[in-house]
Amino acid sequence: MATQTPDYHLIGLYTRYSSWTARVEAVLEYFQIPHTRQFIQLSETKSYSPTGLVPILQCHSLPSATITDSLAICEFLAESNPSLPLWPKDRQLRALARSAAAQMHSGFPVLRNTFHTNFLARYTGNVPIPDGAAAEIARMFRIWDSARKATTERLALLGEVDDGFLFGGFSIADAFFWPILWRFRSYGLPLDGAGPDALAWMAKMWSDPVFKALGDRYYAQAEDPQTCIAHYDDIFRDRDDVQYGLFPRDWTFSASV
């Protein structure tokens, strides 16, 4: 019996560097949506994407449609798989989750431009934190803390189980903040402004089996030199007061990172 080809094909940069591709992959993997994936080099993006930007999602049942932009892709997946809770089923929590994901999608430019994503990277020493980044970190904690507070209250009112993700069960919102957790880890960004709810959510994400498996996949990518994007390795190489290394596979999250 022939194996049926999955309807979805994800094309993006290697996920140990690419936060946008990693977000879509996290949704596909967490909800076990059948798909194939193809990771490419930066120099190849224009061969696959008319805009030169990735990720893109090809849907074989819609042969003329190539979906670009990570949030648009995830919305398409939610629409195409209505039996899966890619967004919270409760209307109020769904609205809050969409708002949180959209803020991550369009905001935090200083964090993005100062602290590039590199899952394995570990920076120690005098890592510079611009004032704008400090303000965005504080805003991030407010989003996470308020999400957990609103979710706890809402699910208690509804008498429903709270799984401990931002809006109860895992959703697109959690996937969109997943690569930000790498930045906190890689650059040793301060956690002292995070409330207990935000810290509990961070611990939940880092300990989840799906994300542990994705982390193993990122380490496996690093074993192939062709996956290297030198521009995103040792970004403070011109500074003697910042040291660059790699996290071990068995690293575990703690509030002190």
Side-chain angles (χ1 to χ4, degrees), residues 62-73:
L62 298 173
S64 62
T66 295
I67 303 101
T68 60
D69 184 276
S70 58
L71 185 54
I73 290 170

Side-chain angles (χ1 to χ4, degrees), residues 84-164:
L84 299 176
L86 272 68
W87 291 117
K89 66 178 182 179
D90 177 68
R91 186 167 180 249
Q92 179 172 315
L93 292 180
R94 188 165 62 251
L96 294 175
R98 277 199 162 103
S99 174
Q103 289 182 72
M104 182 66 258
H105 182 258
S106 63
F108 305 98
V110 182
L111 279 175
R112 294 183 196 280
N113 294 326
T114 305
F115 306 112
H116 300 299
T117 45
N118 181 341
F119 184 82
L120 278 64
R122 182 176 194 171
Y123 294 92
T124 55
N126 188 29
V127 177
I129 302 178
D131 290 342
E136 290 182 358
I137 289 170
R139 178 187 170 198
M140 190 82 65
F141 291 151
R142 288 195 297 271
I143 291 173
W144 295 345
D145 278 321
S146 64
R148 288 299 305 141
K149 182 176 185 295
T151 298
T152 300
E153 293 175 353
R154 181 64 176 169
L155 293 180
L157 179 65
L158 296 173
E160 296 184 1
V161 174
D162 183 353
D163 290 336

